[in-house]
Amino acid sequence: MSWEDKIFCGRELVPAIITDCENGEVLMLAYMNRESFKKTLETGKTWFFRVRETLSGTKAKRADTGSMLNR
């Protein structure tokens, strides 16, 4: 079992908590799928899975922009 499989444990999405790098304050809770998780590690920016609700139902969309990930 890979480390990625251990993180996702059979789930499609995992929670990602974004905190202020200086004081640790929680800024945001979002969700990552495998694609956004891998892209975050590759680019150094945070990428999230985004779902947009419409009147006709729910459509899954991939976020096209990321925010800087402090390392």
Side-chain angles (χ1 to χ4, degrees):
M1 179 181 285
S2 71
W3 59 270
E4 187 177 317
D5 290 335
K6 290 179 183 179
I7 291 171
F8 281 86
C9 298
R11 296 172 293 197
E12 291 184 33
L13 300 174
V14 293
I17 299 170
I18 309 305
T19 60
D20 185 296
C21 65
E22 293 181 10
N23 63 20
E25 178 184 358
V26 174
L27 302 175
M28 180 174 135
L29 167 65
Y31 290 87
M32 291 183 169
N33 61 4
R34 286 180 185 263
E35 180 184 5
S36 59
F37 184 77
K38 286 178 184 177
K39 194 160 187 160
T40 296
L41 296 177
E42 291 169 359
T43 66
K45 294 182 178 183
T46 52
W47 293 78
F48 303 106
F49 177 82
R50 180 169 45 184
V51 174
R52 292 187 181 199
E53 290 186 29
T54 65
L55 292 176
S56 62
T58 302
K59 290 186 177 180
K61 296 275 186 177
R62 179 174 50 93
D64 291 329
T65 60
S67 59
M68 291 306 297
L69 175 67
N70 293 309
R71 293 186 182 210

